[in-house]
Amino acid sequence: MSNQIIIEDTLRASFISTINEIHPLPGSPRLFRYLAVINGDHHLSSGSGFSINKEYARSAAIGESIERYCANQFHMKDIYVGKYADICHQALNPTIITRYTEEQYKNNTKYKEVNFHEERTWVEAKDVVDNKKILVPFELIFLASPPNHLPLRDLISTGLACGQNLEKAVLSGFNECIERDAFIQFWLLGCVRGEIDLNTVHNEYIKRLLELAENSNLQLRLYDITTDLEVPTILTVVKVKGNAGFYLGCASSLEYSQAIRKSLEEGLGGFSIYYELIHHYEEPIPKKLDHTSTLDDHPLYYLAGNNDEILSQLLPSSLPKIAVKNHRMQFTDAVERINRLGHKIYYSEITTEDVKQMGLSVVRVIIPTLCFLSINDPLLNCLRLQETASKLGRKINLEPHPFP
C-alpha cells in the first residue's frame, strides 16, 4: 500500500513529480519509506529513502530523485568533443581511471577502452582542493550514455549527490565514493578491520534501529571496513533469524556513529524492498548472476539464500571485536590524507536551472583512482586494487557482488 502525494510544496520546478509513502508489509521492519519520482523530458528519475525519522526518509527520497534527474540532463554547449592526444594539457589522463582490463574489454561489447587518438566526449570538473578546472570523460559525470561513443565503464550513480548547498552536496558525494571503494576492497579481497561490538552502542538513535530489527526477527551484524583512507566505513549484514540469505548495507561518514546509522538504515531499508519482492510479489529469483544480470538481480539472488558460504569466508567468526568509536574527521583533513596517498578528488556541478530555483545543488564527485562498483564484472584495471591484493597476498574474489 502507498499514499501518493504531489510534491508541490517541496519541488517548485517545471517537472511533474510525485512521492509515495510505502507502508511496510509483514516481515519488513517498520521504517518510514518513501519513493519519489520525477517525470522530466520523457525520462523517469526515481529515488528512495528509509529512516525511523519520517522527514529524513522523505527528504532522502526526494534528493535521490533530483540527483538522477539532473544526471540525465545535459546540453551540447556544456560538453567538449576531442581527442585526448590534442587536449592532454587540460584533461584527465584516462589511463589512471579504474576501468576494465584489455581482456575484459574484448569480452564486453557495451564498453570501450580509451584510444588517445579517437574523439570522445568530455565534461568540465574541478579539483576539490583548489577548484582548478579539468576535462573528464562524460560518463564519469552523467548517467546518460556519451552521445558519440561507447562508455569506458558502467553508468552508475556513485558520487552523485544533492544538497542544500554546494559544500553539503560535495561531502555527500565524497562519502559515497569512499564507501564504494571500501566495499569493493571488502568484497574482492576480504578487507575488514573487525566486528562492531553492539554492546558498546550508546547512541539512542542507533539503539532504536537495533531494537526495530530485533522486533522484526532480524539478525544484524556490523563490521568496520574502513580502509587506509581512514574515513569511517561500516558494513551492515541483515539476515532473517534462522533463515538462509543475507542483505548488505554500507555507508561512510566523517563521523563514526553517523556511518553506523546510515549503514543500518541502508541495510534495513534495502532489505525491506527485496524481502517484499521475494515473499509478497513473487519476483523471480535469478538462478545465477552473470554479465547480463541487472543490479536488482544481485540482492534478490543472495537474499534468497544463494551462496551463503561466501559471507562466512569474507566475515569469519574469528574477527576481532571493535568498540564503537567517538570519532569525527574534518573534511579538509580527510581530503589532505587522500591527496597525500595519491588520489585526486574532483567534482562537477550539474544542477539544472529548475533545481537551482529550489535552492538545491547537485554534484557528481569522482575519485578516479579508487576502486569502483560495477554492475557485474569487477573493474580489475585498478592499481589500488592490484597493490592491495599483492600486499595482502590474496586472490581476488570474482563472485558477483550483492549490491543493488
Side-chain angles (χ1 to χ4, degrees), residues 35-200:
L35 174 68
V37 179
I38 295 173
N39 184 358
D41 294 336
H42 310 292
H43 181 88
L44 292 177
S45 300
S46 64
S48 54
F50 328 95
S51 182
I52 54 175
N53 180 301
K54 186 172 186 176
E55 285 309 308
Y56 179 82
R58 189 172 186 272
S59 297
I62 294 170
E64 188 172 271
S65 65
I66 291 173
E67 295 167 9
R68 297 182 180 195
Y69 167 75
C70 290
N72 279 284
Q73 312 292 321
F74 67 93
H75 299 286
M76 295 304 293
K77 66 179 178 62
D78 297 324
I79 65 177
Y80 180 86
V81 177
K83 304 172 184 176
Y84 176 75
D86 296 333
I87 60 170
C88 57
H89 60 288
Q90 58 180 321
L92 179 70
N93 184 341
T95 63
I96 74 166
I97 298 170
T98 293
R99 61 200 191 284
Y100 293 104
T101 62
E102 182 178 347
E103 192 63 29
Q104 286 178 303
Y105 279 118
K106 288 179 182 177
N107 297 323
N108 198 324
T109 58
K110 295 189 296 183
Y111 312 104
K112 186 178 180 183
E113 173 69 292
V114 174
N115 183 323
F116 286 173
H117 300 285
E118 289 182 352
E119 286 194 338
R120 64 183 304 107
T121 313
W122 306 82
V123 183
E124 189 177 273
K126 294 180 180 180
D127 190 308
V128 164
V129 175
D130 57 15
N131 269 341
K132 184 178 180 181
K133 295 178 180 179
I134 188 171
L135 293 174
V136 301
F138 176 95
E139 58 268 45
L140 269 63
I141 305 301
F142 290 100
L143 295 180
S145 294
N148 302 309
H149 56 83
L150 291 173
L152 62 86
R153 69 184 189 188
D154 303 283
L155 302 174
I156 203 165
S157 62
T158 299
L160 189 60
C162 176
Q164 295 172 323
N165 54 48
L166 183 64
E167 291 75 19
K168 289 183 179 180
V170 168
L171 176 58
S172 179
F174 166 84
N175 281 334
E176 189 170 59
C177 291
I178 302 298
E179 169 210 315
R180 298 300 172 87
D181 170 78
F183 177 80
I184 288 299
Q185 291 198 63
F186 154 72
W187 186 257
L188 299 188
L189 296 172
C191 295
V192 55
R193 293 192 173 187
E195 182 174 359
I196 303 294
D197 182 353
L198 298 182
N199 292 320
T200 65

Side-chain angles (χ1 to χ4, degrees), residues 172-187 191-196 221-237 248-264 266 315 322-325 327-329 334 338 367 370-371 384 403:
S172 179
F174 166 84
N175 281 334
E176 189 170 59
C177 291
I178 302 298
E179 169 210 315
R180 298 300 172 87
D181 170 78
F183 177 80
I184 288 299
Q185 291 198 63
F186 154 72
W187 186 257
C191 295
V192 55
R193 293 192 173 187
E195 182 174 359
I196 303 294
R221 303 189 83 160
L222 277 68
Y223 297 86
D224 187 328
I225 60 169
T226 306
T227 69
D228 58 333
L229 306 182
E230 296 299 341
V231 177
T233 305
I234 304 298
L235 178 77
T236 295
V237 180
L248 301 183
C250 191
S252 295
S253 174
L254 297 177
E255 185 177 356
Y256 202 86
S257 62
Q258 184 82 338
I260 292 176
R261 180 191 70 77
K262 289 171 62 179
S263 178
L264 278 168
E266 286 293 320
L315 297 170
I322 296 177
V324 174
K325 301 174 185 178
H327 172 69
R328 179 178 176 82
M329 298 181 75
I338 291 168
I367 311 179
L370 293 191
C371 302
R384 174 170 171 78
F403 252 28

Side-chain angles (χ1 to χ4, degrees), residues 313-369:
Q313 294 170 22
L314 294 171
L315 297 170
S317 57
S318 58
L319 285 170
K321 290 285 188 177
I322 296 177
V324 174
K325 301 174 185 178
N326 183 17
H327 172 69
R328 179 178 176 82
M329 298 181 75
Q330 295 298 316
F331 182 56
T332 51
D333 293 338
V335 169
E336 182 182 347
R337 177 175 179 80
I338 291 168
N339 270 251
R340 193 166 63 247
L341 291 172
H343 307 289
K344 287 283 192 178
I345 307 166
Y346 303 102
Y347 74 94
S348 179
E349 184 172 10
I350 56 173
T351 319
T352 57
E353 288 302 319
D354 43 13
V355 172
K356 284 181 181 178
Q357 294 173 17
M358 299 157 55
L360 298 174
S361 294
V362 176
V363 302
R364 184 68 180 268
V365 176
I366 55 170
I367 311 179
T369 49

